[in-house]
Amino acid sequence: MDEYAGDSFVNRDDPIPTIILNTPSPRPRTPTHNRPENHDSYQSDTETPSRSGGGLRGRFSALKEKARIQDHLVEKLLSQVVPLDDAELPKDDPPVPGRAAKPNFTLPTMSNNFRRFNARIGVVFVFQARVIRLLAWRRPTHTLSFLAVYTFVCLDPYLLPLLPLVVLLVSILVPSFVARHPAAEFSLTNEQAMVGYSAHGPPIAPAVTVKPVKELSRDFFHNMRDLQNSMEDFSQMHDAVVRLVVPRTNFSDEAQSSALFVVLFAACLFMSIAANAMPWRLIFLVAGWGVTCVGHPAVQRQLETAHKKHVQPQEEKAMTWVEKWIERDVILDSAPETREVEIFELQRLSGAGEWEPWLFSASPYDPLSPARIASERPTGTRFFEDVQPPQGWEWSEKKWALDLWSREWVEERIITGVEIETEGERWVYDIYDEQADKIGVIDGSTLSKGKAVDAAAAKRPRPSWEEGEDSDGRRGEWRRRRWVRLVKRKFISRDAVP
């Protein structure tokens, strides 16, 4: 009783159908060949062949060795073109200890994994084929039974956790037990032909196990056929979704995408309010029955006839109405977004008492700025023509304009220790600091008197900035004024997007 009866999951019925859509993309045609039926003698490297001649095995080994040599040659060629080693690639996260490392791409590994995958993927195709037969009403009793179970689950959703347990019992455990305890065979002429099934006694049959199909066998090519059709289905569905969804959601037609955004936002608001009041059990029940009944051949013929008579003539009218609604109600900004940028012209007082142009900086370099406190030099450009707009923007005006409201930008930045020029060229000067010019040895009495005077002056409140006119006393080392200019968003072409 220790023996096992191996079986494989293979879709030996009709091939998995491919989806045919109205698309201009070409569909590959697979030439049909007469496949030999004696491929069962070939197996994978991990399996022991049950029957094979010495000469046939030798020829097969020679072919495999030749394929290995070709794989190594192609792998060497790819290593010169594509960097297969990812050791130099940046890694965001450190490797987790105890987790298996992911190998690099190699043709032998890819080929071996594909063969192993194709030998074991049959269970997916069997399930897919059974679902197709169920929804296509191949056996109406099975479809009606499925609808009965679905109805019970919709009416009582608490039965949903029961379904996996029932499937495990009915579809796996019961058939496995019956395979180990098969029913007794009786002759039709025997009087005991009507004896029912009995599970008494020890198991008399080997247990059923699942094994991968043999390589180059008929079942192996069945899996390759279904895998080929599934890849075609995915490609067709992917192209259909991209063609249907992407142009309406990527704002290539901004009016249409904006209208869709408004509709979806209104739907979200409605669902957030009315979701708890909707009869979801009835909705899912009707939807499930509707989807299942649509798969019936007679219903499909009726729907196709109704679509040609009633839906197709109204499609153009409906699309025209939607386009007119979008054109009438969706208003887009015609002008690009504009912003105001600023630059500060800095000048420094020379030893001869003249103001020298220094540079154009993005910072006013005021007395209490971090760069000034750290005794760092201001950064910027020497010439006005070298000032560039921010990245992604372009100039909207031809020239810079002097900001005549110097008091406003000084108050907005809470700048202290400056003197504002309200007329003329609108310079903002540093206030002259007498203590900064004192150098050398200072007498103690003079220092104490100076401290007393400074303490008395500190008690008197004084403004953070002063207003003055040209040539109004001594001023500090730096002065600055603000220039402004409008910029607008730059159009980014599709080729410029990384």
Side-chain angles (χ1 to χ4, degrees):
M1 291 300 99
D2 294 336
E3 298 179 355
Y4 295 92
D7 195 7
S8 304
F9 284 100
V10 181
N11 178 29
R12 299 184 179 92
D13 296 335
D14 297 334
I16 299 298
T18 57
I19 300 174
I20 302 177
L21 301 174
N22 296 326
T23 173
S25 60
R27 298 177 63 249
R29 295 183 178 180
T30 304
T32 57
H33 301 284
N34 294 328
R35 302 188 186 116
E37 299 182 359
N38 56 352
H39 284 313
D40 294 340
S41 59
Y42 300 106
Q43 295 183 351
S44 61
D45 297 337
T46 59
E47 298 175 1
T48 303
S50 58
R51 52 185 181 183
S52 58
L56 183 61
R57 179 182 297 179
R59 289 195 299 269
F60 184 57
S61 300
L63 289 175
K64 291 178 64 177
E65 186 65 25
K66 184 179 180 180
R68 290 194 186 97
I69 296 175
Q70 293 177 352
D71 290 343
H72 286 300
L73 291 177
V74 176
E75 183 179 356
K76 292 294 183 182
L77 180 61
L78 285 176
S79 63
Q80 302 297 327
V81 180
V82 182
L84 298 180
D85 189 6
D86 58 352
E88 300 179 356
L89 297 179
K91 297 182 180 180
D92 297 335
D93 300 329
V96 180
R99 181 174 297 180
K102 297 181 180 180
N104 297 324
F105 172 77
T106 57
L107 287 178
T109 304
M110 182 67 184
S111 177
N112 181 51
N113 290 345
F114 176 77
R115 293 196 303 268
R116 296 176 66 246
F117 174 79
N118 187 75
R120 294 161 174 81
I121 193 62
V123 61
V124 177
F125 299 136
V126 170
F127 176 77
Q128 185 178 356
R130 290 182 180 180
V131 171
I132 292 175
R133 288 198 302 267
L134 184 69
L135 299 180
W137 295 76
R138 300 287 181 84
R139 293 185 179 181
T141 55
H142 292 182
T143 307
L144 292 176
S145 300
F146 163 74
L147 288 175
V149 174
Y150 181 79
T151 302
F152 280 114
V153 172
C154 288
L155 296 179
D156 191 1
Y158 297 103
L159 294 176
L160 188 60
L162 183 63
L163 284 181
L165 304 178
V166 173
V167 171
L168 181 62
L169 288 174
V170 176
S171 301
I172 299 179
L173 293 179
V174 172
S176 299
F177 181 83
V178 172
R180 291 279 280 166
H181 301 265
E185 297 181 359
F186 295 97
S187 175
L188 295 177
T189 58
N190 198 329
E191 296 180 354
Q192 298 180 351
M194 300 303 293
V195 175
Y197 173 77
S198 176
H200 296 288
I204 59 176
V208 178
T209 60
V210 178
K211 292 184 178 180
V213 299
K214 302 176 182 178
E215 290 188 8
L216 303 181
S217 63
R218 182 181 300 179
D219 293 339
F220 188 82
F221 283 102
H222 283 171
N223 287 347
M224 293 189 66
R225 172 202 65 189
D226 294 336
L227 183 60
Q228 161 198 288
N229 296 343
S230 298
M231 290 189 294
E232 174 65 15
D233 291 343
F234 177 81
S235 301
Q236 292 287 338
M237 292 298 297
H238 176 272
D239 295 343
V241 170
V242 169
R243 189 168 52 253
L244 178 66
V245 176
V246 172
R248 293 168 175 81
T249 56
N250 65 353
F251 285 85
S252 56
D253 186 352
E254 195 166 356
Q256 188 179 23
S257 299
S258 301
L260 180 61
F261 178 85
V262 172
V263 172
L264 292 179
F265 185 76
C268 292
L269 292 179
F270 173 78
M271 292 301 296
S272 63
I273 298 174
N276 59 344
M278 298 183 67
W280 291 110
R281 297 182 181 182
L282 181 61
I283 291 175
F284 278 97
L285 179 62
V286 174
W289 273 81
V291 171
T292 308
C293 292
V294 164
H296 196 279
V299 177
Q300 288 184 348
R301 289 191 294 267
Q302 295 294 330
L303 290 177
E304 185 177 358
T305 303
H307 183 269
K308 291 181 180 180
K309 288 184 178 180
H310 304 288
V311 178
Q312 285 185 352
Q314 304 297 327
E315 284 183 356
E316 186 175 356
K317 294 181 180 179
M319 293 301 300
T320 304
W321 180 85
V322 171
E323 292 176 358
K324 289 183 178 179
W325 173 74
I326 294 175
E327 183 179 359
R328 182 179 65 254
D329 292 348
V330 178
I331 302 176
L332 302 176
D333 295 333
S334 58
E337 180 186 2
T338 59
R339 296 284 182 88
E340 184 182 70
V341 295
E342 63 181 7
I343 196 72
F344 293 92
E345 180 184 0
L346 302 182
Q347 291 187 1
R348 188 176 186 181
L349 187 63
S350 64
E354 296 181 355
W355 291 102
E356 296 180 350
W358 197 255
L359 49 77
F360 295 90
S361 175
S363 171
Y365 200 63
D366 58 280
L368 296 182
S369 62
R372 191 79 170 271
I373 295 175
S375 300
E376 298 177 356
R377 298 175 63 87
T379 58
T381 180
R382 293 293 302 274
F383 303 102
F384 229 150
E385 294 77 10
D386 295 336
V387 179
Q388 299 296 326
Q391 186 177 3
W393 299 76
E394 60 183 359
W395 299 121
S396 179
E397 295 178 338
K398 295 183 179 180
K399 296 182 179 181
W400 289 87
L402 178 62
D403 186 7
L404 302 178
W405 304 95
S406 53
R407 180 189 298 178
E408 293 185 359
W409 65 264
V410 170
E411 292 179 348
E412 288 177 358
R413 287 172 169 79
I414 317 178
I415 296 177
T416 59
V418 295
E419 178 184 339
I420 300 175
E421 193 176 66
T422 57
E423 295 181 358
E425 297 181 351
R426 303 307 197 272
W427 290 102
V428 177
Y429 298 85
D430 290 349
I431 295 178
Y432 177 72
D433 188 3
E434 296 180 356
Q435 297 296 330
D437 293 340
K438 292 182 179 181
I439 58 175
V441 180
I442 302 176
D443 183 60
S445 60
T446 306
L447 182 61
S448 61
K449 293 180 180 178
K451 289 183 178 180
V453 173
D454 293 342
K459 294 181 179 179
R460 295 194 302 267
R462 57 181 179 178
S464 60
W465 49 265
E466 299 178 359
E467 293 185 3
E469 300 177 356
D470 292 339
S471 302
D472 186 15
R474 301 183 63 180
R475 294 184 172 123
E477 184 182 7
W478 294 91
R479 72 175 183 176
R480 76 281 298 156
R481 58 180 174 179
R482 182 173 179 260
W483 296 82
V484 295
R485 192 175 181 180
L486 290 180
V487 292
K488 61 181 180 180
R489 293 296 299 269
K490 184 189 300 184
F491 177 76
I492 303 175
S493 60
R494 185 179 298 272
D495 298 335
V497 177

